[in-house]
PDB file of all heavy atoms in Angstrom:
ATOM      1  N   PHE A  82       8.714   1.658 -13.911  1.00 94.00           N
ATOM      2  CA  PHE A  82       8.338   3.038 -14.250  1.00 94.00           C
ATOM      3  C   PHE A  82       8.283   3.175 -15.760  1.00 94.00           C
ATOM      4  O   PHE A  82       9.268   2.913 -16.439  1.00 94.00           O
ATOM      5  CB  PHE A  82       9.380   3.999 -13.658  1.00 94.00           C
ATOM      6  CG  PHE A  82       8.892   5.419 -13.481  1.00 94.00           C
ATOM      7  CD1 PHE A  82       8.788   5.994 -12.234  1.00 94.00           C
ATOM      8  CD2 PHE A  82       8.533   6.193 -14.591  1.00 94.00           C
ATOM      9  CE1 PHE A  82       8.339   7.296 -12.051  1.00 94.00           C
ATOM     10  CE2 PHE A  82       8.088   7.491 -14.424  1.00 94.00           C
ATOM     11  CZ  PHE A  82       7.986   8.042 -13.157  1.00 94.00           C
ATOM     12  N   GLU A 105      21.916  -6.408 -14.999  1.00 91.00           N
ATOM     13  CA  GLU A 105      22.609  -5.598 -14.001  1.00 91.00           C
ATOM     14  C   GLU A 105      22.111  -5.826 -12.579  1.00 91.00           C
ATOM     15  O   GLU A 105      22.819  -5.526 -11.631  1.00 91.00           O
ATOM     16  CB  GLU A 105      22.463  -4.106 -14.348  1.00 91.00           C
ATOM     17  CG  GLU A 105      23.049  -3.711 -15.692  1.00 91.00           C
ATOM     18  CD  GLU A 105      24.537  -4.014 -15.804  1.00 91.00           C
ATOM     19  OE1 GLU A 105      25.230  -3.954 -14.770  1.00 91.00           O
ATOM     20  OE2 GLU A 105      25.002  -4.331 -16.915  1.00 91.00           O
ATOM     21  N   LYS A 106      20.902  -6.327 -12.455  1.00 89.00           N
ATOM     22  CA  LYS A 106      20.314  -6.381 -11.108  1.00 89.00           C
ATOM     23  C   LYS A 106      20.049  -7.799 -10.622  1.00 89.00           C
ATOM     24  O   LYS A 106      19.675  -8.001  -9.472  1.00 89.00           O
ATOM     25  CB  LYS A 106      19.004  -5.578 -11.154  1.00 89.00           C
ATOM     26  CG  LYS A 106      18.573  -4.901  -9.887  1.00 89.00           C
ATOM     27  CD  LYS A 106      19.550  -3.979  -9.245  1.00 89.00           C
ATOM     28  CE  LYS A 106      19.075  -3.634  -7.850  1.00 89.00           C
ATOM     29  NZ  LYS A 106      20.033  -2.936  -7.038  1.00 89.00           N
ATOM     30  N   ARG A 154      10.980  -7.403 -14.673  1.00 90.00           N
ATOM     31  CA  ARG A 154      11.323  -7.950 -13.351  1.00 90.00           C
ATOM     32  C   ARG A 154      10.068  -8.161 -12.487  1.00 90.00           C
ATOM     33  O   ARG A 154      10.164  -8.233 -11.263  1.00 90.00           O
ATOM     34  CB  ARG A 154      12.305  -7.015 -12.639  1.00 90.00           C
ATOM     35  CG  ARG A 154      13.738  -7.185 -13.166  1.00 90.00           C
ATOM     36  CD  ARG A 154      14.749  -6.584 -12.234  1.00 90.00           C
ATOM     37  NE  ARG A 154      14.561  -5.148 -12.096  1.00 90.00           N
ATOM     38  CZ  ARG A 154      15.019  -4.435 -11.079  1.00 90.00           C
ATOM     39  NH1 ARG A 154      15.683  -5.033 -10.110  1.00 90.00           N
ATOM     40  NH2 ARG A 154      14.806  -3.135 -11.035  1.00 90.00           N
TER      41      ARG A 154
ATOM     42  N   LYS B  36      32.708  -1.722 -13.732  1.00 90.00           N
ATOM     43  CA  LYS B  36      32.167  -2.090 -15.041  1.00 90.00           C
ATOM     44  C   LYS B  36      33.283  -2.051 -16.092  1.00 90.00           C
ATOM     45  O   LYS B  36      33.467  -1.047 -16.785  1.00 90.00           O
ATOM     46  CB  LYS B  36      31.034  -1.128 -15.422  1.00 90.00           C
ATOM     47  CG  LYS B  36      29.852  -1.220 -14.492  1.00 90.00           C
ATOM     48  CD  LYS B  36      29.131  -2.520 -14.754  1.00 90.00           C
ATOM     49  CE  LYS B  36      28.218  -2.916 -13.636  1.00 90.00           C
ATOM     50  NZ  LYS B  36      27.739  -4.294 -13.758  1.00 90.00           N
ATOM     51  N   MET B 131      15.765   1.620 -11.729  1.00 92.00           N
ATOM     52  CA  MET B 131      16.029   0.179 -11.788  1.00 92.00           C
ATOM     53  C   MET B 131      16.764  -0.269 -10.532  1.00 92.00           C
ATOM     54  O   MET B 131      17.164  -1.423 -10.398  1.00 92.00           O
ATOM     55  CB  MET B 131      16.886  -0.148 -13.014  1.00 92.00           C
ATOM     56  CG  MET B 131      16.141  -0.052 -14.315  1.00 92.00           C
ATOM     57  SD  MET B 131      17.306  -0.228 -15.679  1.00 92.00           S
ATOM     58  CE  MET B 131      16.302   0.355 -17.031  1.00 92.00           C
ATOM     59  N   GLY B 132      16.997   0.692  -9.614  1.00 89.00           N
ATOM     60  CA  GLY B 132      17.717   0.364  -8.393  1.00 89.00           C
ATOM     61  C   GLY B 132      19.216   0.329  -8.625  1.00 89.00           C
ATOM     62  O   GLY B 132      19.953  -0.324  -7.890  1.00 89.00           O
ATOM     63  N   TYR B 138      27.701   3.606 -13.897  1.00 94.00           N
ATOM     64  CA  TYR B 138      27.607   3.296 -15.321  1.00 94.00           C
ATOM     65  C   TYR B 138      28.053   4.450 -16.212  1.00 94.00           C
ATOM     66  O   TYR B 138      28.597   4.228 -17.280  1.00 94.00           O
ATOM     67  CB  TYR B 138      26.158   2.918 -15.673  1.00 94.00           C
ATOM     68  CG  TYR B 138      25.728   1.655 -14.995  1.00 94.00           C
ATOM     69  CD1 TYR B 138      25.224   1.688 -13.693  1.00 94.00           C
ATOM     70  CD2 TYR B 138      25.873   0.426 -15.605  1.00 94.00           C
ATOM     71  CE1 TYR B 138      24.862   0.529 -13.032  1.00 94.00           C
ATOM     72  CE2 TYR B 138      25.519  -0.739 -14.960  1.00 94.00           C
ATOM     73  CZ  TYR B 138      25.016  -0.684 -13.671  1.00 94.00           C
ATOM     74  OH  TYR B 138      24.672  -1.838 -13.029  1.00 94.00           O
TER      75      TYR B 138
END
Side-chain angles (χ1 to χ4, degrees):
Chain A
F82 201 116
E105 299 301 329
K106 210 55 192 170
R154 282 196 297 159
Chain B
K36 296 288 162 192
M131 287 172 195
Y138 295 85

